[in-house]
Amino acid sequence: MPSGSHNGVSPVHHHSEYYLKDGNITFLQVGDTLFRVHRHFFEVESQFFVKEFEKAPKEGTSDSSAFRLEKVTVEDFAKFLWVWYSPSYRRESKPKDHWLTILELSTVWQFPEMKKLAVDELQKLDIEPIEKITTYDRYQIDKSLLLPAYKLLCKRAGRMSIVEGEQLTLHTVLGIQEARERAIRSAAEGGCRSPTSADADDEELERILIDVFSLKGHAANRQGTQPSGKPDDVPFINTPKPHANGGPNGPKPSTSGSNDNKPKDKKTTGSGSGRNS
């Protein structure tokens, strides 16, 4: 719905689902869409937003003083908000890209519990091993969760293609090669003639991979990238860029329903809720 001009520049619109009458923080998205939601969700978990709000404590209180979020689409921000405002998110089946969007934004904006939720949901999906490894490396997710993907690469016929190898780090490529060679030796020692890495015992292959990639006791890095950004005429929240050696990159969900826009108790929200996964 139209809401007039923003700072006298161009017409802006209220988001059809996430412009809430009882909201107390307003964001202006790329384009001309205003979101008005609950500040509590952003302050309770994210040090990134706590610091941004402290820079301009009186901003975001009205449409004309809305915070602007950089490099985030209207659709992706709506997917991010969906975690808090959808009462049935645990029962809804969302596609991979939806959770990748949430993973991206929860990482760069430092929402560790929401990031954990995204990882938990991605773990339930069937993702090709190369894509899964590159995604988990990019967002610094617990490598022990990649054991099934490593196993698939070791057991499949033939080596990785050049294109696949270029997507992975050198450490991963060499690790898979070493694990395959050790698996072949193990199968040969077990009496298999003309063995391949697929002939190795599953438990033995797991032990090999745990050793090669040092998976035991690996702790997930739940920290987001440290924010950096300069305030503009309109307070400007600058989404941090990924580190060169692996950091955040992009996310996606949406929902509808007459009661979806009510904030829920922390025990039912997707972030900072102490959820039982």
Side-chain angles (χ1 to χ4, degrees), residues 62-132:
S62 66
D63 289 2
S64 60
S65 65
F67 281 97
R68 186 187 303 165
L69 295 174
E70 186 194 24
K71 299 177 183 177
V72 182
T73 66
V74 170
E75 293 76 14
D76 283 353
F77 192 49
K79 290 174 183 177
F80 184 80
L81 296 173
W82 168 88
V83 174
W84 293 320
Y85 292 103
S86 171
S88 59
Y89 76 85
R90 284 188 178 278
R91 299 187 296 275
E92 291 186 47
S93 177
K94 292 294 183 181
K96 175 185 66 179
D97 287 348
H98 175 102
W99 291 109
L100 286 176
T101 295
I102 294 173
L103 176 62
E104 163 78 7
L105 294 182
S106 64
T107 300
V108 297
W109 289 339
Q110 301 176 32
F111 287 88
E113 288 302 313
M114 190 183 288
K115 179 177 180 178
K116 183 179 182 300
L117 171 66
V119 173
D120 289 345
E121 294 299 322
L122 288 169
Q123 282 293 104
K124 301 174 185 177
L125 303 178
D126 185 16
I127 302 175
E128 288 296 317
I130 298 294
E131 181 184 5
K132 188 168 186 176

Side-chain angles (χ1 to χ4, degrees), residues 22-270:
D22 63 343
N24 56 0
I25 187 71
T26 305
F27 295 97
L28 175 66
Q29 286 307 112
V30 174
D32 60 358
T33 303
L34 285 165
F35 290 77
R36 187 165 182 81
V37 289
H38 298 91
R39 184 179 182 128
H40 166 77
F41 291 128
F42 294 86
E43 293 179 317
V44 73
E45 184 181 348
S46 171
Q47 284 302 304
F48 173 78
F49 277 102
V50 167
K51 292 175 182 178
E52 291 294 336
F53 292 158
E54 285 176 350
K55 293 177 185 177
K58 295 183 180 180
E59 301 300 339
T61 56
S62 66
D63 289 2
S64 60
S65 65
F67 281 97
R68 186 187 303 165
L69 295 174
E70 186 194 24
K71 299 177 183 177
V72 182
T73 66
V74 170
E75 293 76 14
D76 283 353
F77 192 49
K79 290 174 183 177
F80 184 80
L81 296 173
W82 168 88
V83 174
W84 293 320
Y85 292 103
S86 171
S88 59
Y89 76 85
R90 284 188 178 278
R91 299 187 296 275
E92 291 186 47
S93 177
K94 292 294 183 181
K96 175 185 66 179
D97 287 348
H98 175 102
W99 291 109
L100 286 176
T101 295
I102 294 173
L103 176 62
E104 163 78 7
L105 294 182
S106 64
T107 300
V108 297
W109 289 339
Q110 301 176 32
F111 287 88
E113 288 302 313
M114 190 183 288
K115 179 177 180 178
K116 183 179 182 300
L117 171 66
V119 173
D120 289 345
E121 294 299 322
L122 288 169
Q123 282 293 104
K124 301 174 185 177
L125 303 178
D126 185 16
I127 302 175
E128 288 296 317
I130 298 294
E131 181 184 5
K132 188 168 186 176
I133 292 169
T134 56
T135 298
Y136 281 37
D137 283 350
R138 180 183 306 124
Y139 296 104
Q140 300 178 350
I141 296 167
D142 187 352
K143 288 185 181 295
S144 66
L145 299 177
L146 291 174
L147 183 57
Y150 292 146
K151 285 180 66 177
L152 285 173
L153 291 181
C154 286
K155 280 186 164 292
R156 75 180 190 179
R159 297 177 181 271
M160 285 184 285
S161 68
I162 293 176
V163 173
E164 289 176 328
E166 288 176 343
Q167 296 177 58
L168 301 173
T169 64
L170 180 60
H171 175 266
T172 300
V173 172
L174 295 178
I176 294 297
Q177 180 179 334
E178 179 185 345
R180 286 172 66 94
E181 292 172 353
R182 288 172 59 175
I184 291 172
R185 289 199 299 270
S186 175
E189 291 168 0
C192 182
R193 295 184 178 182
S194 302
T196 68
S197 55
D199 295 316
D201 178 77
D202 273 359
E203 290 186 4
E204 176 61 20
L205 180 55
E206 286 189 5
R207 283 193 289 268
I208 291 170
L209 288 166
I210 287 170
D211 179 54
V212 169
F213 289 102
S214 303
L215 300 183
K216 280 188 176 178
H218 182 84
N221 180 358
R222 302 291 185 188
Q223 299 298 320
T225 302
Q226 196 67 22
S228 61
K230 298 179 180 179
D232 213 1
D233 291 337
V234 175
F236 202 84
I237 296 180
N238 183 24
T239 300
K241 296 181 180 179
H243 292 298
N245 63 348
N249 261 8
K252 303 185 176 32
S254 64
T255 184
S256 61
S258 59
N259 295 322
D260 285 358
N261 289 336
K262 295 181 180 180
K264 291 171 288 302
D265 183 87
K266 289 177 67 178
K267 291 185 179 179
T268 60
T269 59

